[in-house]
Amino acid sequence: MPEPARDDAPEDFAVVVRRHQARVFAILHRYEPDSHRVEDLAQETFLKAWRARAAFDHRAPFEHWISRIAVRVALDHLRREKRRRNDIALPELGEDALDWLRSTDENREPAARDAAELLHCALRELSPSDRVVITLQELEGRSVREIADTMGISRVAVRVRALRARLKLRSALEKWMNL
């Protein structure tokens, strides 16, 4: 993908958005299920990329550069959300999930939707950086090297965070399943 134009032509900005919006939306949706918030985060991502376009240095493809910006916007969003709400109220889970959580039938397997809600709730208990590592590695299938480059941390730090995040996630899932 060629470098974006460095002048202030609005049509150049529109070209950047058209070329990369699917990827940016896909990245952001992994961290925020609300499509309205994803739109806001995507707009923030593109504005940050546009304002910093002079810093793009061609060492990596533009797609990787804007993806890194999207991940950082998502991480900032998760940090803000974590500060805003410390805990999840059970009514936020919805009646179906609450019925499943309250069920005494140990043989009952959660439906896919219930399991997804349960996983989402457990993920919310992780720190923003742990959530990013787990999402990039497990949901997006990124390599340790890609995650390190995207997050701007060492490969060892990625491995350590991934291990700790999995342990925390397992503990959170067990907690939610034992409610």
Side-chain angles (χ1 to χ4, degrees):
M1 200 61 53
E3 171 188 354
R6 293 185 189 258
D7 59 10
D8 291 328
E11 51 277 353
D12 292 337
F13 180 73
V15 168
V16 169
V17 171
R18 270 194 309 276
R19 284 183 183 164
H20 303 285
Q21 69 183 0
R23 180 166 188 75
V24 167
F25 272 77
I27 290 168
L28 295 170
H29 189 67
R30 299 255 190 219
Y31 303 98
E32 175 58 57
D34 183 331
S35 60
H36 296 293
R37 284 187 179 173
V38 169
E39 289 175 14
D40 292 342
L41 294 171
Q43 184 177 26
E44 183 180 341
T45 299
F46 285 115
L47 286 174
K48 283 185 177 195
W50 187 252
R51 289 179 182 142
R53 68 190 178 278
F56 176 62
D57 64 3
H58 301 287
R59 287 188 296 182
F62 184 76
E63 182 177 277
H64 293 178
W65 184 73
I66 201 163
S67 294
R68 185 172 185 174
I69 293 171
V71 167
R72 290 192 176 184
V73 165
L75 186 57
D76 290 344
H77 169 69
L78 292 174
R79 285 184 187 125
R80 285 190 304 267
E81 285 296 305
K82 186 165 183 151
R83 270 186 253 126
R84 188 175 69 81
R85 108 188 93 149
N86 288 334
D87 214 338
I88 303 163
L90 287 177
E92 288 180 28
L93 296 174
E95 283 305 312
D96 291 341
L98 286 175
D99 289 343
W100 177 76
L101 286 171
R102 291 181 188 133
S103 172
T104 58
D105 183 3
E106 292 179 313
N107 296 325
R108 184 174 173 218
E109 291 293 321
R113 185 171 148 253
D114 295 336
E117 286 183 64
L118 185 63
L119 178 60
H120 180 70
C121 290
L123 281 169
R124 289 168 106 181
E125 293 190 20
L126 299 180
S127 71
S129 60
D130 287 347
R131 188 172 176 187
V132 168
V133 168
I134 287 291
T135 301
L136 288 172
Q137 193 171 51
E138 300 300 330
L139 299 177
E140 294 185 14
R142 302 263 183 113
S143 70
V144 170
R145 181 178 182 190
E146 289 173 315
I147 296 168
D149 291 345
T150 299
M151 295 183 70
I153 60 177
S154 73
R155 292 178 194 170
V156 171
V158 169
R159 287 185 187 97
V160 169
R161 282 187 187 178
L163 176 66
R164 289 180 182 161
R166 279 190 201 91
L167 292 172
K168 290 176 189 174
L169 184 60
R170 180 180 297 135
S171 174
L173 284 169
E174 287 171 356
K175 179 184 103 179
W176 279 103
M177 291 186 71
N178 292 324
L179 284 180

